[in-house]
Structure formats: C-alpha cells, structure tokens
Amino acid sequence: MMTSAEKAATITALCQAVHDLAWAGLKRRYPSASERELFLRMAVLRLGEDLARKAFPEVSTLADDAAD
C-alpha cells in the first residue's frame, strides 16, 4: 500500500509526463514556433480558448494552421 506522500509523488510525476507529452506534441506540430507561442498554445490546451484569451489576449494572434 502506498503512503500519501508516495501517492502525491506518483500523481505529480504523471501530471509532469502529460505536460511534457503535450509540449512535445506542440513542438512537433509547430516546429518553427517560439517558446512564447508554445506557451500560449499550451494555455489554450489546458484552459480552453475562451479562458486562455482572457488570461493571455495575444492568444488571438495565433494562426490556426499547423505545419504539414
């Protein structure tokens, strides 16, 4: 049986793995994107477009097209 600390560490590691995979996917989809653009695209993924635009108005400047 896992302790509370072990459970918390496992959940933290899983959350970090999901973040890393999403980040890698964005980098692959938008290979010429700057770190800021990737950050904004991650915000859209995590928060949804409406909330991301409220928090980061520059989200509206992102082009919707992905690199082929």
Side-chain angles (χ1 to χ4, degrees):
M1 189 155 174
M2 294 172 67
T3 66
S4 295
E6 291 169 331
K7 290 176 186 176
T10 299
I11 290 169
T12 299
L14 289 171
C15 289
Q16 185 63 51
V18 168
H19 173 83
D20 292 346
L21 287 169
W23 189 265
L26 288 171
K27 286 181 82 170
R28 182 178 172 129
R29 188 169 184 189
Y30 303 98
S32 61
S34 67
E35 290 292 310
R36 181 63 179 173
E37 181 180 342
L38 292 170
F39 170 83
L40 293 170
R41 291 186 183 283
M42 180 67 84
V44 171
L45 281 176
R46 294 180 119 183
L47 303 174
E49 193 165 340
D50 290 340
L51 184 55
R53 281 179 194 235
K54 288 178 184 175
F56 308 104
E58 63 195 292
V59 163
S60 61
T61 67
L62 297 175
D64 291 332
D65 58 325
D68 293 326

